[in-house]
Amino acid sequence: MRIVFSIVVAVSLTFVLRSSLRHHPYRYYLGAGAISLLLGFWTVPSATTWLDTYILDLFRRGTLATALWCIVMFAGALPNGKLKRIWMPLRGTLSILAAILTLCHTITYIRIYASPVARPSLPMSGLQIVAIHLSVFLLLIMIPLTILSFPTIRSKISPKRWIAIQRLAYVFYLLLYVHIMLLLMPSATTGHLDAQISIFTYSLIYLSYFVLRIKKAVASRHGRSGCAASLLES
Ligand code: HEM
């Protein structure tokens, strides 16, 4: 359910803030960094359930970051049109923002699993252990791709080499889907409606992306599309 709400928030932000996101990205990077450190390292005392579920958890559970990743994915796969025109120029900024916000999620769970107090009360199933190990690869891909998204760094690398490195984004998207499925499936199979809605929503997003991406590849093969941009930019 959180992912549905996160997508509504993320898409709305790209419409409302698109001009300042393009012209003042560093303000958003600093803001996201502050939020990630604050919510990652500090537990808000007596936060109401509403505040927890619809605000704080969007950051701590990684869903707002993942909603931004989804926009980064779709902008490249969408056919030419209004949505693509709005999202394409924002892709570098959104992927850097998503990475900074993902740090909140990572810090939150590393603190939980590393803490000698919390960990014993959280027996990890085999699936969870696999998902957590997978997340290490997610981070190992996310960090270099994010660094390469900064225009100053990108300008130092040949466009051909930059696009080749960005192909790792496909591995990232796939591992992210597996990470989420492995972690949400146990509660979904025991009838947890929230997890079932989330699994359905993530699968629908990935399936639609897959179809759009294939359509684009077929169209470009038939020479109708032709734009060569990076994967995180494609
Ligand atoms: C690039 C890095 C990562 C991304 C984008 C990411 C994203 C996500 C997303 C979207 C979910 C599902 C949340 C939901 O819909 O409720 C999730 C769940 C989870 N992630 Fe990650 N994750 C990342 C790295 C990590 C790392 C490094 C850890 C652990 C140290 C971790 C631990 C977890 C856990 C425990 C859950 C299950 C939470 C629950 O039960 O709701 N993740 N992650």
Side-chain angles (χ1 to χ4, degrees):
M1 199 62 166
R2 267 180 298 272
I3 188 60
V4 177
F5 189 63
S6 298
I7 287 171
V8 172
V9 171
V11 170
S12 318
L13 285 178
T14 59
F15 279 81
V16 176
L17 301 174
R18 66 177 189 235
S19 163
S20 66
L21 274 167
R22 275 187 78 178
H23 300 107
H24 312 290
Y26 284 86
R27 289 183 195 165
Y28 293 92
Y29 301 156
L30 288 174
I35 291 172
S36 280
L37 293 175
L38 190 73
L39 294 184
F41 286 108
W42 182 54
T43 312
V44 183
S46 65
T48 61
T49 321
W50 194 92
L51 181 71
D52 249 349
T53 311
Y54 291 103
I55 307 288
L56 305 179
D57 268 356
L58 301 193
F59 298 94
R60 292 183 303 210
R61 302 259 185 150
T63 51
L64 185 59
T66 301
L68 290 172
W69 292 120
C70 293
I71 294 174
V72 169
M73 285 160 71
F74 270 81
L78 283 168
N80 294 336
K82 183 161 186 263
L83 209 47
K84 193 176 183 86
R85 276 199 303 281
I86 292 172
W87 284 350
M88 276 306 265
L90 292 178
R91 306 190 69 233
T93 303
L94 294 180
S95 55
I96 295 169
L97 264 181
I100 297 172
L101 290 176
T102 300
L103 289 180
C104 179
H105 173 67
T106 306
I107 297 167
T108 302
Y109 282 103
I110 288 180
R111 285 183 60 220
I112 290 174
Y113 289 119
S115 103
V117 182
R119 197 178 55 244
S121 65
L122 285 170
M124 287 171 89
S125 69
L127 289 184
Q128 283 173 317
I129 292 170
V130 174
I132 301 294
H133 284 84
L134 263 183
S135 66
V136 175
F137 292 101
L138 276 171
L139 295 173
L140 288 177
I141 297 174
M142 181 186 88
I143 295 166
L145 290 188
T146 306
I147 294 168
L148 289 175
S149 293
F150 285 91
T152 40
I153 312 277
R154 176 176 175 172
S155 60
K156 293 189 174 60
I157 297 175
S158 76
K160 206 158 177 285
R161 187 140 180 269
W162 194 81
I163 289 174
I165 297 170
Q166 294 294 339
R167 290 197 184 288
L168 277 173
Y170 282 125
V171 182
F172 178 83
Y173 299 149
L174 183 65
L175 286 182
L176 180 54
Y177 182 74
V178 177
H179 171 77
I180 298 167
M181 290 301 121
L182 287 177
L183 286 158
L184 295 185
M185 203 54 89
S187 27
T189 48
T190 51
H192 198 268
L193 183 63
D194 201 42
Q196 289 169 349
I197 294 171
S198 295
I199 286 191
F200 174 76
T201 311
Y202 286 114
S203 305
L204 191 65
I205 292 168
Y206 271 77
L207 192 63
S208 335
Y209 170 72
F210 191 64
V211 170
L212 282 174
R213 197 66 196 82
I214 299 284
K215 275 178 77 178
K216 181 183 170 189
V218 170
S220 68
R221 188 160 298 152
H222 294 113
R224 271 179 276 150
S225 140
C227 65
S230 84
L231 267 168
L232 261 185
E233 303 291 338
S234 72

